[in-house]
């Protein structure tokens, strides 16, 4: 048997919440001490696990009470359904990650998802899509991205960064060299083929962003060595005149 305090420390569920679950008939203690303190056995803890899984899936308490209060409630079947729902949720989160990666490739500001707690993920996705989703470039990217798997997106990112590694191999020379200029057009073609139509105007904007500092500059320099981002931006500027 565990006391309410021990259960709270084990599960992270507050004592107040456990008392409330008891009050509404969702999770009753298995017994009480002589002093009236709640005690919970393994069966009660298993029920709490079920409750927490349902809560993680954002089921309202009234629905959980209804589901778990049924005579025909099958714990194993419920667990199978919870696993299926969690898999769907996992896929949803992966789509959000892929969406963020896509925005990053499009040249908008980088986003550190560690700065967002789980409750704000959907809010951010809606705001970001509202901000960028009406542009022809984003719509084109979204269409192409929808046809790729997560693994294919990872491969695409790796190929994209390889282009900057190749810029890094050229940075010892001049940004107006034939090799550097050919690499600029190779970059532009890659973006057009895999992401969205990269016009000269867009490419010019990307070049300025690449050398502006921050995460993009750091990532490019990490791929091709320090100074690669500035060299790439200079080569783009020469190419576009």
């Amino acid at each position: 048997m565990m006391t309410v305090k021990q259960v709270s420390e084990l599960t992270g569920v507050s004592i107040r919440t456990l008392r409330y679950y008891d009050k509404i008939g969702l999770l009753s203690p298995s017994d009480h001490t002589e002093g009236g303190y709640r005690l919970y056995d393994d069966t009660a803890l298993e029920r709490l696990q079920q409750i927490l899984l349902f809560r993680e899936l954002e089921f309202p308490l009234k629905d959980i009470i209804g589901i778990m209060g049924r005579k025909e409630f099958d714990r194993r079947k419920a667990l199978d359904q919870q696993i299926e729902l969690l898999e769907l949720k996992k896929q949803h989160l992966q789509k959000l990650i892929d969406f963020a990666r896509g925005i990053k490739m499009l040249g908008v500001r980088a986003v550190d998802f560690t700065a967002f707690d789980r409750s704000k993920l959907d809010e951010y996705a809606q705001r970001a899509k509202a901000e960028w989703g009406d542009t022809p470039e984003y719509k084109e990217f979204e269409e192409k991205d929808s046809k790729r798997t997560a693994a294919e997106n990872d491969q695409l990112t790796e190929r994209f960064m390889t282009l900057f590694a190749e810029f890094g191999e050229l940075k010892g020379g001049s940004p107006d060299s034939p090799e550097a200029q050919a690499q600029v057009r190779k970059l532009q073609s890659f973006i057009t083929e895999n992401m969205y139509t990269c016009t000269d105007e867009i490419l010019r904007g990307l070049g300025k962003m690449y050398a502006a500092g921050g995460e993009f500059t750091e990532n490019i320099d990490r791929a091709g060595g320090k100074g690669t981002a500035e060299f790439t931006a200079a080569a783009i500027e020469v190419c576009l005149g």
Side-chain angles (χ1 to χ4, degrees):
M1 290 282 195
M2 299 181 68
T3 65
V4 67
K5 181 180 179 181
Q6 290 172 327
V7 172
S8 178
E9 291 174 347
L10 175 68
T11 64
V13 179
S14 70
I15 293 175
R16 182 178 180 181
T17 298
L18 290 169
R19 288 173 178 167
Y20 181 67
Y21 285 174
D22 183 16
K23 181 179 179 181
I24 63 177
L26 181 58
L27 178 68
S28 299
S30 309
D31 204 347
H32 293 81
T33 66
E34 292 182 0
Y37 292 102
R38 294 171 175 81
L39 294 172
Y40 297 83
D41 61 12
D42 289 344
T43 300
L45 291 177
E46 287 179 5
R47 183 176 176 87
L48 179 57
Q49 287 177 335
Q50 288 280 341
I51 294 168
L52 294 180
L53 279 171
F54 278 123
R55 291 297 288 155
E56 186 66 27
L57 291 165
E58 301 177 4
F59 277 61
L61 286 176
K62 62 181 180 63
D63 290 348
I64 300 175
I65 293 172
I67 293 170
M68 298 186 69
R70 295 172 187 164
K71 291 182 179 180
E72 65 273 19
F73 176 71
D74 185 328
R75 179 178 174 275
R76 181 173 292 277
K77 182 179 179 180
L79 187 58
D80 287 339
Q81 292 172 336
Q82 288 167 336
I83 291 172
E84 184 177 356
L85 286 171
L86 287 168
E87 288 288 351
L88 291 172
K89 191 171 185 179
K90 176 183 175 182
Q91 293 173 21
H92 173 67
L93 289 174
Q94 184 60 55
K95 287 180 180 179
L96 286 175
I97 294 170
D98 292 343
F99 174 70
R101 184 183 291 118
I103 289 180
K104 185 174 181 180
M105 287 183 179
L106 284 170
V108 299
R109 64 186 180 278
V111 176
D112 180 2
F113 266 85
T114 61
F116 294 82
D117 61 30
R118 199 175 62 83
S119 66
K120 294 183 179 179
L121 279 172
D122 287 342
E123 176 188 344
Y124 170 73
Q126 291 171 2
R127 177 165 55 83
K129 189 166 186 176
E131 183 176 356
W132 303 102
D134 290 336
T135 64
E137 292 79 18
Y138 180 79
K139 290 177 180 178
E140 183 181 356
F141 171 82
E142 191 175 44
E143 181 180 355
K144 291 179 179 179
D145 185 66
S146 67
K147 299 174 182 178
R148 290 192 290 260
T149 65
E152 288 171 337
N153 271 320
D154 289 340
Q155 292 173 1
L156 183 66
T157 300
E158 186 175 342
R159 288 167 57 201
F160 189 50
M161 298 314 295
T162 296
L163 292 174
F164 294 113
E166 292 171 352
F167 270 113
E169 294 175 358
L170 300 172
K171 70 178 185 291
S174 173
D176 64 358
S177 69
E179 294 81 8
Q181 293 304 294
Q183 188 68 14
V184 169
R185 291 308 181 186
K186 183 178 179 181
L187 173 65
Q188 186 176 26
S189 296
F190 179 87
I191 295 172
T192 296
E193 179 182 351
N194 296 285
M195 304 174 197
Y196 52 90
T197 301
C198 185
T199 64
D200 286 355
E201 181 182 1
I202 290 176
L203 184 62
R204 189 187 302 277
L206 290 175
K208 292 178 179 178
M209 180 201 68
Y210 292 156
E215 187 174 349
F216 284 107
T217 301
E218 292 173 3
N219 286 340
I220 291 172
D221 283 355
R222 189 177 297 117
K226 187 172 179 59
T228 300
E230 289 187 6
F231 179 82
T232 301
I236 290 174
E237 193 60 33
V238 169
C239 183
L240 301 181

